[in-house]
Amino acid sequence: MSEGRRARPQPTPETQHFWDGTRAGELRLQRCNDCGKVYFPPRPFCPACAARDVVVFAASGKGRLYSYVIHHRPVPGFTPPYAIAVVELEEGPRMMTNITDCRQTPEALQLDMPVEVAFEKLDDDITLPLFRPARR
Amino acid sequence: MQPNSIAIVGAAETTNLGVIPDTSQIQLHADAALNAMADAGLKPKDIDGIATAGETPVTVAHYLGLTPKWVDGTAVGGCSFMIHVRHAAAAIASGLCETVLITHGESGRSGVGRTRNFVAPTSLAGQFEQPYGPMGPPTLFTIPVLRYMKTYGLSHEQLAMVSVVQREWAAENPRATFKTPITVEDVLNSRMIASPFRLLQCCLVTDGGGALILVAAERARDFPQKPVYLLGTGESVETPMVSSPVIPAKAGIQGCKGLDRPPGPPLSRGRRNKHLLARVPRRRP
């Protein structure tokens, strides 16, 4: 692994629920009570209709591999080659992630393959949502 | 802005281009600015508006000894300077200022006096992208490409052809760093950087800069160089996160919403590029 450690997110008041969620083993998204839009990343209002009446809920943690690159250069905390991926969640939003429990090759990483969340604890504060090929 | 109402009367690059280890970022801005002023036959006292990105307009104005009455520090990435042209045109057309200097300078290769683009760990990109190991444009702008290839049936050979044609265009620029023609095979055999993107598909990182001087068209003939008239401009922004675009169809945004230009044929002259895909050699069995 390259020297150093991977970049650590620093939660803000508006995103704290997400990081509390991953620490508790939940992938939390938000839904607008006015227009029904499910969105990510976190904000205390709906980016589709500007309503402030939004709720946090636990997502299924399931999605599909939307797109990715396989990085071959050294980055602190990573062993190249590694995939930097975007998954599209069952509920709609997309998020960046790494794909774990999977060879980091174009052959193994097939677009649209089902994936599921796999939480990776970095420290007492931060648990990252990674994704792995779905097991069911 | 009315087409042809604003003119570029000074344009220059830095005295050197490519690898310039003895010049800092701010001096690259200044070197390009001084060359553009010389091109237009102007002195610092003649400039009353300034726009820049990378450095702040305050920093560049002070460094050059200017006290502008109009400034713009719009920083939206690589097309900031195109947007500065639009903003300058609007400022001149509305009488806020008369003579605008736009500067660019980047010590990308040598890193002398470089201001870094720092992604704060509290920002959304810092929380929801940086932890997954991206490192600059080759690992971020490229992420949607595999999806594009699958959706539209684009092949690796066709994608490589973009670099081949860009090199052909570079060969016509006497100041280009690389002018030797390359083939699709060269591209596909170059070192892998961020699969599917290889070395010859990544931007060349260089030192250099450029500057423009804009005035109202009615003043353009007072300057020594043949003016270049502004036909149209456009601007928009979408997202600082590649994983979280505002999806155009859903957001009701059209790609060219900000573009205003006169009616007529497309401005692009890329005749050769039209045949770009037709020129891709067949994949060997």
Side-chain angles (χ1 to χ4, degrees):
Chain A
M1 187 177 291
S2 300
E3 284 180 24
R5 59 174 207 174
R6 71 160 85 203
R8 286 286 195 282
Q10 264 180 39
T12 59
E14 296 80 19
T15 64
Q16 188 64 53
H17 67 266
F18 180 86
W19 298 112
D20 289 345
T22 55
R23 212 169 44 200
E26 276 184 11
L27 189 68
R28 293 178 182 168
L29 298 175
Q30 287 168 298
R31 183 189 293 112
C32 175
N33 278 336
D34 272 16
C35 77
K37 167 104 175 163
V38 176
Y39 63 90
F40 178 87
R43 277 153 283 184
F45 61 92
C46 172
C49 76
R52 291 174 189 264
D53 183 12
V54 297
V55 288
V56 173
F57 70 99
S60 66
K62 298 186 187 306
R64 65 189 179 109
L65 181 57
Y66 181 73
S67 204
Y68 65 89
V69 294
I70 303 172
H71 195 26
H72 286 247
R73 307 274 299 145
V75 169
F78 289 85
T79 305
Y82 64 95
I84 306 164
V86 172
V87 298
E88 185 165 281
L89 301 173
E90 213 168 57
E91 294 82 2
R94 293 178 198 151
M95 60 190 298
M96 192 175 283
T97 191
N98 300 124
I99 305 297
T100 187
D101 293 346
C102 183
R103 281 181 300 119
Q104 306 290 290
T105 64
E107 294 71 30
L109 294 160
Q110 291 292 324
L111 292 199
D112 298 313
M113 71 182 200
V115 291
E116 61 189 21
V117 71
F119 294 104
E120 170 120 341
K121 182 176 176 178
L122 297 187
D123 56 35
D124 286 346
D125 295 323
I126 297 296
T127 295
L128 275 188
L130 306 186
F131 283 77
R132 65 187 172 214
R135 285 174 177 170
R136 61 186 164 92
Chain B
M1 187 202 76
Q2 290 299 310
N4 299 308
S5 66
I6 303 293
I8 296 169
V9 295
E13 292 169 331
T14 41
T15 307
N16 297 307
L17 278 179
V19 184
I20 320 172
D22 63 350
T23 308
S24 68
Q25 177 177 290
I26 182 71
Q27 181 58 28
L28 292 170
H29 280 258
D31 184 41
L34 295 174
N35 287 343
M37 282 191 264
D39 189 53
L42 293 176
K43 295 293 181 192
K45 65 175 171 45
D46 301 316
I47 307 290
D48 65 354
I50 189 163
T52 194
E55 296 280 352
T56 70
V58 189
T59 308
V60 175
H62 169 260
Y63 195 73
L64 288 168
L66 308 176
T67 49
K69 59 185 183 188
W70 177 85
V71 297
D72 181 20
T74 302
V76 296
C79 74
S80 302
F81 312 91
M82 303 296 107
I83 288 183
H84 295 156
V85 168
R86 183 176 215 235
H87 293 183
I92 294 166
S94 61
L96 298 180
C97 56
E98 293 183 352
T99 309
V100 172
L101 170 69
I102 300 170
T103 71
H104 165 257
E106 189 170 346
S107 185
R109 175 161 290 258
S110 302
V112 185
R114 177 167 51 185
T115 49
R116 288 224 170 252
N117 288 331
F118 174 70
V119 181
T122 49
S123 68
L124 292 181
Q127 292 185 61
F128 301 110
E129 289 195 341
Q130 287 302 306
Y132 303 107
M135 190 59 87
T139 58
L140 283 169
F141 297 167
T142 49
I143 289 177
V145 172
L146 278 185
R147 170 56 54 183
Y148 184 95
M149 292 173 79
K150 178 164 181 175
T151 303
Y152 297 101
L154 190 75
S155 69
H156 290 284
E157 288 78 7
Q158 288 170 327
L159 192 60
M161 198 66 192
V162 175
S163 301
V164 172
V165 172
Q166 285 180 334
R167 182 62 68 86
E168 285 181 18
W169 283 101
E172 294 185 19
N173 180 349
R175 302 199 79 192
T177 300
F178 291 134
K179 304 190 192 72
T180 316
I182 54 174
T183 65
V184 164
E185 200 166 47
D186 292 336
V187 175
L188 295 181
N189 286 331
S190 63
R191 181 157 55 89
M192 190 63 88
I193 300 294
S195 174
F197 278 78
R198 295 171 179 274
L199 184 67
L200 289 177
Q201 294 170 296
C202 296
C203 271
L204 186 62
V205 179
T206 52
D207 304 329
L212 297 173
I213 294 172
L214 279 71
V215 301
E218 55 264 30
R219 292 178 60 206
R221 301 227 171 270
D222 301 339
F223 291 85
Q225 303 291 351
K226 188 179 172 189
V228 172
Y229 294 96
L230 210 53
L231 290 180
T233 61
E235 70 185 88
S236 188
V237 293
E238 190 188 14
T239 175
M241 300 173 70
V242 70
S243 60
S244 176
V246 178
I247 300 169
K250 291 181 180 169
I253 292 173
Q254 290 169 4
C256 292
K257 188 183 183 187
L259 186 71
D260 41 63
R261 69 170 186 85
L267 298 174
S268 159
R269 291 172 53 240
R271 280 178 55 222
R272 288 193 307 182
N273 294 8
K274 200 167 69 179
H275 304 292
L276 187 149
L277 298 185
R279 289 173 49 199
V280 174
R282 291 191 184 282
R283 192 194 297 259
R284 281 181 295 183

